[in-house]
Amino acid sequence: MAFQHLTPPREGSKITIRADGTLDVPDDPIIPHIVGDGTGPDIWNAAQPVLDAAVRKAYGGKKRIVWFRVFAGEEAFKQFNDWLPADTLEAFRQYIVGIKGPLTTPVGKGIRSLNVALRQELDLYACVRPVYYVQGVPSPMKDPSDMNIVIFRENTEDVYAGVEFQAGSPEAKKLQDFLVKELGVKASKFRGSMVGLGIKPISEEGSKRLVRKAIQYAVENKLPSVTLVHKGNIMKFTEGAFMQWGYEVATTEFREHCVTWAEVQEKHGGKVPAGKILVQDVIADNMFQQLLTRTENYSVLATANLNGDYLSDAAAGEVGGLGIAPGGNIGAGYAVFEATHGTAPKYAGQDKVNPGSVILSGVMMLEYLGWKEAAQLVRDAFQKTVAQGLVTYDFAREMNIDPIKASEFGACIIANIEGRKTPIAPRASASKPRTTTKKVVRALEKATGARALAKAAKGKKSARRATPAKTTGKAVNRAHAKAKAAKGAKKATTKKRR
Ligand code: NAP
């Protein structure tokens, strides 16, 4: 289909999908991008030069991205009177891989979320969210460095499929009658006739393709486990089926790579055989506490839509919040990477907010293109810049240092990519990440009354497991402030990302 309003770049080439589903990426791929609403321009203007600098440095000019600006959201509405123009969908379809900033979801205007629309139109069925700790980032956890997971969330089904009927509507009434009269559901399950109803479709095809992608990722990246997260104890035919179909994929399509938890118990004396990926399942509510208490035991999670939505934000919060959480929506070759936070409209145009989420989404995109060297350059420079205390307001307020602008943050990352002096001098206090030390532990103990926290001074891991949930939230902040006032914070030991 030809474009109606947009003119694609004259230079650059198209990415194509080979017959086996892999990508054929030219050295000059055309990548459509949506800048986004609200703070979208602030973060994009800081992020794009970082990605370009990394590609330049990694490949000495042999490779480059040819950006193709397309529109959605408020800007598209202003220019084309359309929140999601056909041209934009066509660009993502033709050029296969793209990236986007946050978009305003118009409230009460009767149109769907643009993000959901994009995912559904392009059948981007897997929402992929890596969650890992960047040293120096303020976190509510005692040892956030244990977090290093990738969440594969099903993107098209579940209660998010949008099959809902308003309480009192003829449709809801009809469905309720049908359930009672035709399917033998007890009438007492419904409290009167004013009941909103929703349908939770979970299909074999939808579940299997998601779990297949998650296991494939674990195989390609030599990761130790894939955990199927579900609530199958209660919702047996939806969430329970998701788990069963997931195990089926593991034991039929990836037999040589995988061993299930049951097999480990029955045949391998409780030990995962060397070189095998453990496929296990964990009930969703337990998964939330496991991510706090046994974080390091998890690697790849595969979840249905709703569970994954909650889990990915909670996990991101544990390593410092959505400001730097990257994401990608991936289908059969097609992929749109995106900043996971919203448009933060109150900061729009101030060159203030953290561009980390879109930069790290760009890292995911570079990896997806197979440009791993460039991706690693950005990742390393990003980490170095944060460790230098060169951070935007959101981290700065937690670290008690002066913030720099979004564009300055980008410029400092570029300097670190290129091995130059940063345009702004590193902040001296930045080498003190806000994680637990003896003094913080003592203050925490006082603040929460949690006895086991005392153990953290001796062995941070055992104490971490003993009292995980109580160490988050306001008590921690108060304790940190107290410990800081006592001039205490020692450098915490942090592990390198695997
Ligand atoms: P939001 O835009 O994510 O902002 C909520 C708060 O998160 C901000 O006030 C700010 O906290 C913090 N924040 C967000 N982005 C940040 C960044 N880059 N750096 C540092 N801090 C950041 O959520 P919202 O206010 O609920 O949503 C606003 C609009 O965004 C809505 O129209 C919503 O529909 C849309 N939205 C879009 C997407 C998407 O496109 N993917 C996702 C979610 C929401 P402080 O005030 O504490 O500094």
Side-chain angles (χ1 to χ4, degrees):
M1 194 185 103
F3 291 99
Q4 288 168 18
H5 304 289
L6 300 179
T7 311
R10 289 220 184 95
E11 298 178 315
S13 319
K14 280 184 180 171
I15 294 171
T16 51
I17 304 175
R18 299 189 190 99
D20 66 357
T22 57
L23 292 190
D24 192 350
V25 181
D27 284 345
D28 56 353
I30 297 175
I31 303 275
H33 71 98
I34 297 171
V35 169
D37 298 327
T39 49
D42 303 82
I43 58 176
W44 181 257
N45 292 340
Q48 186 195 317
V50 170
L51 302 176
D52 288 337
V55 171
R56 214 167 33 240
K57 172 84 178 168
Y59 309 112
K62 286 204 185 95
K63 293 182 196 278
R64 72 184 172 121
I65 292 173
V66 178
W67 300 104
F68 176 19
R69 185 165 180 189
V70 298
F71 301 87
E74 283 167 351
E75 204 176 353
F77 191 73
K78 253 187 249 155
Q79 284 203 40
F80 310 111
N81 201 27
D82 191 346
W83 292 93
L84 183 56
D87 274 3
T88 300
L89 286 171
E90 186 54 27
F92 285 119
R93 233 179 255 124
Q94 280 195 26
Y95 297 103
I96 315 287
V97 177
I99 186 165
K100 64 174 277 295
L103 295 175
T104 304
T105 300
V107 179
K109 299 217 174 90
I111 83 153
R112 295 180 289 171
S113 154
L114 295 172
N115 298 304
V116 174
L118 267 173
R119 287 170 200 168
Q120 287 180 351
E121 297 279 348
L122 300 169
D123 197 19
L124 305 172
Y125 61 83
C127 174
V128 184
R129 294 257 197 111
V131 187
Y132 54 89
Y133 183 60
V134 175
Q135 191 179 341
V137 170
S139 149
M141 298 298 292
K142 284 198 294 175
D143 191 355
S145 63
D146 276 343
M147 178 75 80
N148 188 6
I149 60 171
V150 184
I151 300 175
F152 284 75
R153 161 191 164 197
E154 206 290 324
N155 235 352
T156 61
E157 302 196 323
D158 204 347
V159 285
Y160 282 24
V163 190
E164 275 199 310
F165 302 100
Q166 195 174 9
S169 65
E171 293 85 359
K173 179 84 184 52
K174 200 168 177 182
L175 182 56
Q176 189 173 332
D177 280 352
F178 177 77
L179 290 169
V180 173
K181 290 181 187 148
E182 304 287 327
L183 299 185
V185 176
K186 276 191 194 154
S188 59
K189 297 249 180 195
F190 305 102
R191 218 158 266 128
S193 58
M194 282 299 283
V195 182
L197 293 175
I199 302 283
K200 180 182 173 77
I202 301 256
S203 70
E204 178 175 4
E205 186 192 334
S207 303
K208 283 189 167 176
R209 68 181 183 172
L210 185 273
V211 175
R212 189 175 296 123
K213 223 177 214 0
I215 299 179
Q216 190 66 48
Y217 182 88
V219 171
E220 280 164 12
N221 293 281
K222 299 186 172 45
L223 297 173
S225 69
V226 174
T227 304
L228 309 168
V229 184
H230 63 92
K231 194 71 187 156
N233 53 333
I234 307 295
M235 292 169 271
K236 297 182 197 309
F237 303 132
T238 50
E239 303 256 337
F242 173 84
M243 175 201 75
Q244 266 162 11
W245 287 320
Y247 276 126
E248 259 177 58
V249 170
T251 53
T252 55
E253 300 177 28
F254 294 92
R255 188 61 282 187
E256 73 278 24
H257 298 287
C258 295
V259 61
T260 65
W261 187 84
E263 288 165 350
V264 169
Q265 306 312 312
E266 287 157 18
K267 298 187 196 156
H268 303 286
K271 255 187 126 182
V272 179
K276 295 280 185 192
I277 296 167
L278 171 67
V279 177
Q280 58 188 345
D281 70 279
V282 171
I283 290 182
D285 40 349
N286 183 24
M287 194 67 237
F288 278 90
Q289 69 106 6
Q290 291 281 313
L291 277 189
L292 291 165
T293 55
R294 294 201 149 76
T295 324
E296 68 277 18
N297 289 356
Y298 296 93
S299 176
V300 174
L301 308 186
T303 82
N305 206 338
L306 180 66
N307 292 331
D309 196 6
Y310 294 158
L311 265 173
S312 49
D313 277 22
E318 288 174 39
V319 293
L322 285 180
I324 59 160
N329 296 295
I330 303 177
Y334 297 93
V336 178
F337 296 87
E338 66 174 350
T340 55
H341 54 72
T343 58
K346 67 182 175 185
Y347 298 125
Q350 296 178 28
D351 192 14
K352 174 172 175 155
V353 297
N354 196 335
S357 180
V358 77
I359 290 174
L360 295 177
S361 300
V363 167
M364 284 179 77
M365 186 185 80
L366 292 172
E367 280 167 349
Y368 191 72
L369 298 178
W371 295 8
K372 296 198 189 294
E373 302 79 6
Q376 195 58 44
L377 279 175
V378 182
R379 207 192 288 278
D380 291 346
F382 188 93
Q383 176 146 347
K384 187 170 176 189
T385 309
V386 173
Q388 288 171 327
L390 298 167
V391 293
T392 47
Y393 83 99
D394 49 328
F395 289 177
R397 71 186 168 194
E398 299 290 320
M399 294 157 95
N400 258 348
I401 53 178
D402 290 333
I404 61 174
K405 292 178 177 171
S407 56
E408 291 170 336
F409 183 58
C412 290
I413 297 175
I414 293 172
N416 280 325
I417 286 173
E418 293 173 349
R420 289 187 282 110
K421 241 170 110 180
T422 50
I424 297 170
R427 312 290 203 229
S429 60
S431 56
K432 292 175 181 169
R434 194 166 159 270
T435 47
T436 305
T437 63
K438 283 182 188 174
K439 287 208 170 149
V440 174
V441 169
R442 256 179 249 133
L444 275 169
E445 229 184 337
K446 223 171 159 192
T448 63
R451 219 202 245 171
L453 282 167
K455 286 186 194 159
K458 292 181 194 145
K460 62 190 174 96
K461 282 229 159 119
S462 54
R464 183 176 178 282
R465 285 180 184 176
T467 54
K470 294 201 168 159
T471 62
T472 60
K474 285 183 183 159
V476 173
N477 294 337
R478 275 198 304 274
H480 276 293
K482 229 171 175 180
K484 214 168 208 174
K487 287 193 184 156
K490 275 189 193 165
K491 237 193 224 176
T493 315
T494 47
K495 280 193 287 176
K496 274 200 171 156
R497 176 171 156 70
R498 280 195 292 269

